[in-house]
Amino acid sequence: QVQLVESGGGLVQAGGSLRLSCAASGSIFSINAMGWYRQAPGKQRELDAAITSIGVANYADSGKGRSAISRDNAKNTVYLQMNSLKPEDTGVYYCNAWVRPTRRSQEFRYWGQGTQVTVSS
């Protein structure tokens, strides 16, 4: 089994910053892409940022220039630095990872439990 545990969410005023972390643990041979998804109240979960195993990142238009995704492969951890936060960034942020549990297995997609980010105006 693989577990993803997020941390770093909270309440912040508009213009502030937060850094989210997500650590993967369990049966892990390798991790391919990792990412962060946001689910705003009453809306579907949407990609916010993703990063490949070699560090190539891509961002949703809403976060470009304000967010930075990074990862520490030695710690099986992905981070999301969010700056200049806006009220519309409010939502539950879910970590996602494509994990190969063993050398011979296929990749599986795992999700964290989510961390709440609330940006007040």
Side-chain angles (χ1 to χ4, degrees):
Q1 277 287 8
V2 175
Q3 298 81 38
L4 300 181
V5 179
E6 300 110 331
S7 61
L11 173 64
V12 64
Q13 289 188 333
S17 298
L18 281 175
R19 189 189 193 213
L20 307 183
S21 299
C22 171
S25 63
S27 178
I28 298 172
F29 174 74
S30 64
I31 302 178
N32 198 346
M34 304 182 81
W36 290 94
Y37 285 69
R38 180 176 75 245
Q39 187 163 20
K43 296 188 177 181
Q44 290 187 333
R45 194 176 299 185
E46 297 180 336
L47 176 68
D48 196 72
I51 187 168
T52 69
S53 59
I54 59 172
V56 178
N58 68 284
Y59 300 91
D61 288 343
S62 59
K64 285 182 180 178
R66 298 188 298 121
S67 297
I69 189 170
S70 60
R71 63 191 284 173
D72 184 333
N73 290 334
K75 296 181 179 179
N76 291 333
T77 299
V78 63
Y79 306 95
L80 184 66
Q81 176 69 43
M82 301 186 293
N83 303 317
S84 302
L85 284 162
K86 305 175 181 180
E88 50 265 43
D89 294 320
T90 293
V92 180
Y93 283 71
Y94 294 91
C95 173
N96 160 261
W98 287 92
V99 179
R100 189 185 304 274
T102 66
R103 179 186 295 272
R104 296 185 177 184
S105 68
Q106 64 184 71
E107 287 183 348
F108 296 94
R109 192 178 200 181
Y110 293 90
W111 293 91
Q113 80 287 352
T115 184
Q116 177 70 45
V117 171
T118 303
V119 184
S120 62
S121 58

